[in-house]
Amino acid sequence: MNYFVYKGIRSCDMGIRIESKNVFSAPEFEVDFLSIPGRDGDLISGSGRFPNVQVTYSVFIPAKTISELSQKITAVKGWLYSGLNAYHELSDTYDTEFTRKAVFAGKLDIEDQMNRIGIFTISFSCQPFRYSAEGQQSVMVANGGIITNPYPFVSKPIMTLTGSGAGTLTIQSADSNATWTLSEVGGLTIDSDQMLCYCGTESKNDTVSGDGFPLLYPGDNIFTFTGDITAVAVLPRWCSI
């Protein structure tokens, strides 16, 4: 039986049965095209972006009585309509190697078929990228170590540095060569997605300088570090469309 997991709760545990899902949907790349008089073809303007993508499940809730159906639907509404101001992890049995960042979007129009089955559609607004389960595992990188991004999209990792004092971190790939200087290494975590540097609950953005936040480009990414850095733990967050 297929099911999805949202906010850590399985749809089947809420009494929901899935009929179908738009399994392989992907966002349209938004970019502006400029027409130049006398020139064939259009120019691409700007870098463009991927908007959110809708993931929709056609579902039903079996019930023996109207009272049972009402109780189940009330529980489903409480589950879906809470926490609408943040994204939550969404996964399902159709795509077991990836998860999404999603939030419930739309409304519930529930039909009562012969007073026994509630039929409706559940739609989530998802960030454009899917995140691989493998990319959610932290790996240790020694000086000169390589992490290989298996997907054609840049990922935004979380990195935790081991050591004390000061040091520099360089990540080199075929598309980038960037270095960061750190004045305080011990226990420092760098979250490139949230654009934060911290140690526990204390902000450490002022202890790191460099060109933006670390990114992992497609292919090999070589880590080198100097000073008091002894190792780097990387949670790579591999992503794909």
Side-chain angles (χ1 to χ4, degrees):
M1 179 179 63
N2 287 311
Y3 59 86
F4 64 84
V5 181
Y6 179 60
K7 294 193 290 189
I9 299 174
R10 299 195 304 179
S11 58
C12 57
D13 292 337
M14 301 297 293
I16 294 173
R17 303 293 182 265
I18 299 176
E19 289 187 322
S20 63
K21 173 204 172 186
N22 58 339
V23 179
F24 299 110
S25 60
E28 178 183 1
F29 186 63
E30 293 181 346
V31 66
D32 293 326
F33 293 93
L34 297 179
S35 298
I36 307 298
R39 177 169 179 168
D40 294 328
D42 293 336
L43 297 179
I44 298 175
S45 175
S47 58
R49 64 182 290 271
F50 287 110
N52 272 18
V53 61
Q54 296 295 119
V55 173
T56 302
Y57 301 88
S58 297
V59 305
F60 65 94
I61 297 180
K64 295 180 180 180
T65 65
I66 295 177
S67 176
E68 180 187 355
L69 179 61
S70 176
Q71 291 176 4
K72 288 183 176 180
I73 290 174
T74 297
V76 168
K77 289 178 179 177
W79 171 44
L80 295 177
Y81 278 94
S82 63
L84 297 181
N85 60 342
Y87 288 99
H88 308 278
E89 185 173 291
L90 174 68
S91 62
D92 61 37
T93 52
Y94 295 94
D95 191 12
T96 58
E97 295 183 2
F98 290 87
T99 63
R100 289 186 180 274
K101 295 179 181 179
V103 64
F104 173 69
K107 59 181 180 177
L108 296 181
D109 291 324
I110 302 173
E111 298 179 10
D112 184 11
Q113 191 177 84
M114 298 180 62
N115 294 328
R116 296 184 64 187
I117 299 178
I119 302 173
F120 55 105
T121 297
I122 297 177
S123 183
F124 295 97
S125 180
C126 302
Q127 292 188 4
F129 289 101
R130 299 178 300 142
Y131 295 90
S132 76
E134 180 185 3
Q136 301 304 311
Q137 304 299 317
S138 183
V139 295
M140 294 298 297
V141 184
N143 200 353
I146 297 174
I147 290 184
T148 302
N149 183 348
Y151 299 100
F153 300 96
V154 174
S155 75
K156 301 176 181 179
I158 296 178
M159 302 191 304
T160 301
L161 286 74
T162 302
S164 60
T168 65
L169 169 67
T170 299
I171 304 177
Q172 183 178 6
S173 68
D175 298 310
S176 174
N177 187 354
T179 298
W180 295 268
T181 300
L182 305 92
S183 61
E184 298 178 17
V185 174
L188 179 69
T189 296
I190 302 175
D191 187 332
S192 295
D193 184 39
Q194 297 296 318
M195 294 189 290
L196 291 173
C197 301
Y198 57 89
C199 182
T201 59
E202 184 180 359
S203 174
K204 293 290 186 178
N205 277 30
D206 59 346
T207 68
V208 180
S209 60
D211 186 14
F213 283 79
L215 301 173
L216 299 178
Y217 286 82
D220 290 344
N221 294 266
I222 304 171
F223 283 68
T224 55
F225 34 87
T226 64
D228 297 311
I229 303 173
T230 57
V232 181
V234 181
L235 193 152
R237 287 176 169 156
W238 303 136
C239 62
S240 185
I241 291 296

